[in-house]
Amino acid sequence: MGGWPRGKARRASVRRAMICAMACLVLAGGAAHGQISGQFGLDFVARRIPSSLTGDLVLDTPSEFAELEFGIASSLRVSVRDSAIGGALDAATNMAGPEHGVATGDLRIEPFRLLGVLFEDVTLACEMWMAVPFEAVTDVNNLPNAIVIPYGDIFFVTSRLTSSFDVGGFHFRHLLMILDTSFPNPNASYDPLFYEFADQTFSCGGILDVSWSSQLGLSLSLSAGFNASPGATVVKGYSAAGRVDPGNYYLNGSVGGFELCDFAVGPLFLMDPRIGISFSVSTTQTLSATLSFSAKVAEGIGLGASMTLFRGPTEVRGLSLSGSFACIQFGLQLDELEVTSLSMGCNTPFSLGALNGGFDIRATGLERGLTGLSTRLNVSHGQFSASTGITFAQRGARFGFASLATQFTFRFSPGTISLQATFGRYGLTRASISTGVTL
């Protein structure tokens, strides 16, 4: 199940693209007269170029006026459903050209019995991903950017077949993938100058997930990967969980919700105590497990702890205490029974006639004093809504202003217009105008 010879990559990719495309079209075609929903969006984004960037001098000095660089992006998300058959399309382009196009078709099957076993909520879904290779760079303005990798062709990247069903209270989900494992990650740099069809290397992999839960709070989950990893498959502007990883096999699991009897620990009386355990093992990782514990100390106040097993010396870590009083929420992180971090927050909704909104404030810190502070105010009136958020953070030995973000949104059926601006320590960092039409 490893990589295929590169000489066959282009022919194989075309065959698989055609097969998956036909499968998606067959499923989606049956829904042609069904209910259509979706959204079309057009976004204009601007960001400030550092004012003092001259030659080799890079000093981002704040200034009232500055040069801006712009980006324009268009997105289309449409889904069609008719009874048991559905289809969807997610596509996007930006100033560099096409980003991705993902076609999906799904089929819902009525409950049936096989060998005396009842299968319920049976669903089959197929996906075909097409994308242009991008890479992340730092441009001449010393700003992060994304560029197309020549020759900028549209490639077939992956096809995915997902089947899911319920049997006896257990939920099963299986993901089968064919992926070009050589396709560049759009969030990282790519060393070669070009990416061509001959560079594609396809591999197969699968992931099986099983989960179960009871009304008493017990839960169980298992995830097994064959030539795969639970990481994400990513193309420019789109991602999904699960990735082909040649030669990697893993097994992750957890069992939780075991209820114990209430008991006292010193002055504390622990109510509704529960324990759980999770484990992970793979061809690249030795067996590791974590034992977790949670209980209520009082109404609205909970205590939690975890213990690492097998990997290194057994030790208790992650002891935490959290709770709420009225609109105030708090959290304490303890290490060897000493408080090492503290977080507090308060959320207060309000209503002034036709004007509704809320105010939220969050703070973190302790050992080094206050290390984080954020506030947010949001209001709405009919078709208009607005929000403003201010963040202060620790920068080295100093605590100070980090960012201010403001957003205004106007909704008028079937469209939406949203204006947003984010200001950082050195002034404007990003401004955008987003327009959309909802089907």
Side-chain angles (χ1 to χ4, degrees):
M1 299 179 71
W4 293 351
R6 292 194 175 187
K8 301 180 181 180
R10 182 172 183 174
R11 295 192 299 271
S13 68
V14 173
R15 288 198 299 269
R16 280 164 176 74
M18 293 179 62
I19 292 173
C20 194
M22 288 188 291
C24 291
L25 289 174
V26 168
L27 292 178
H33 302 288
Q35 183 178 2
I36 300 177
S37 61
Q39 183 179 29
F40 170 76
L42 188 62
D43 300 335
F44 301 84
V45 180
R47 59 183 182 178
R48 182 181 58 86
I49 298 174
S51 301
S52 58
L53 186 65
T54 304
D56 296 331
L57 181 62
V58 183
L59 294 174
D60 195 356
T61 303
S63 60
E64 181 180 1
F65 299 97
E67 294 184 76
L68 300 177
E69 61 177 8
F70 294 88
I72 302 176
S74 174
S75 62
L76 174 65
R77 298 177 181 89
V78 178
S79 62
V80 183
R81 174 153 297 281
D82 182 12
S83 184
I85 302 176
L89 174 65
D90 188 308
T93 60
N94 60 34
M95 290 187 70
E99 287 186 2
H100 69 266
V102 177
T104 305
D106 66 86
L107 174 65
R108 298 175 182 175
I109 302 175
E110 293 293 328
F112 64 92
R113 288 186 178 274
L114 180 64
L115 301 177
V117 179
L118 177 62
F119 289 78
E120 300 177 287
D121 294 331
V122 182
T123 303
L124 297 175
C126 64
E127 304 173 43
M128 182 185 71
W129 296 25
M130 307 292 289
V132 172
F134 279 79
E135 67 171 318
V137 299
T138 300
D139 62 23
V140 69
N141 297 314
N142 201 37
L143 295 173
N145 213 329
I147 63 171
V148 172
I149 301 174
Y151 297 99
D153 296 324
I154 299 178
F155 291 83
F156 165 63
V157 180
T158 181
S159 60
R160 300 156 62 97
L161 178 64
T162 304
S163 57
S164 62
F165 55 88
D166 293 343
V167 174
F170 287 84
H171 179 71
F172 294 83
R173 178 181 179 274
H174 182 259
L175 172 63
L176 177 63
M177 301 170 285
I178 301 174
L179 173 68
D180 175 12
T181 56
S182 299
F183 194 80
N185 183 344
N187 301 317
S189 60
Y190 185 73
D191 291 334
L193 296 178
F194 304 96
Y195 189 77
E196 306 177 79
F197 287 102
D199 296 322
Q200 292 190 285
T201 304
F202 287 90
S203 295
C204 299
I207 298 176
L208 175 64
D209 296 319
V210 182
S211 61
W212 172 84
S213 61
S214 72
Q215 296 181 348
L216 299 177
L218 294 176
S219 63
L220 173 125
S221 67
L222 290 173
S223 180
F226 308 92
N227 227 44
S229 72
T233 299
V234 182
V235 296
K236 179 62 175 172
Y238 196 89
S239 64
R243 179 176 178 82
V244 175
D245 188 359
N248 184 58
Y249 300 84
Y250 73 88
L251 178 64
N252 299 334
S254 66
V255 181
F258 289 102
E259 187 173 359
L260 306 176
C261 297
D262 298 349
F263 62 94
V265 178
L268 297 179
F269 186 73
L270 303 183
M271 300 173 290
D272 192 23
R274 294 176 181 269
I275 61 172
I277 187 170
S278 61
F279 68 89
S280 177
V281 62
S282 70
T283 53
T284 58
Q285 174 185 328
T286 59
L287 176 64
S288 64
T290 301
L291 182 67
S292 59
F293 171 82
S294 64
K296 293 181 181 179
V297 178
E299 187 64 31
I301 302 178
L303 176 70
S306 61
M307 177 184 294
T308 302
L309 307 175
F310 302 125
R311 180 183 292 178
T314 300
E315 59 179 358
V316 177
R317 60 180 178 84
L319 189 62
S320 62
L321 185 68
S322 61
S324 62
F325 295 102
C327 69
I328 300 176
Q329 303 88 39
F330 70 91
L332 299 174
Q333 192 71 26
L334 300 97
D335 185 13
E336 297 181 356
L337 300 183
E338 292 185 1
V339 179
T340 57
S341 67
L342 169 67
S343 63
M344 297 187 67
C346 179
N347 183 282
T348 304
F350 61 82
S351 178
L352 302 174
L355 184 67
N356 299 310
F359 177 76
D360 182 89
I361 182 170
R362 304 282 167 180
T364 58
L366 192 64
E367 285 186 326
R368 295 183 298 169
L370 189 64
T371 57
L373 177 66
S374 64
T375 63
R376 185 175 183 84
L377 172 67
N378 61 83
V379 295
S380 62
H381 184 285
Q383 298 174 327
F384 167 80
S385 63
S387 65
T388 297
I390 303 176
T391 302
F392 297 84
Q394 187 80 26
R395 300 189 311 274
R398 295 184 177 182
F399 178 83
F401 173 78
S403 67
L404 182 148
T406 301
Q407 180 173 348
F408 297 91
T409 302
F410 303 89
R411 297 177 178 87
F412 50 95
S413 182
T416 302
I417 297 178
S418 179
L419 310 176
Q420 183 176 18
T422 301
F423 301 87
R425 182 185 177 191
Y426 297 113
L428 178 71
T429 58
R430 181 184 177 91
S432 65
I433 301 176
S434 300
T435 61
V437 176
T438 303
L439 303 178

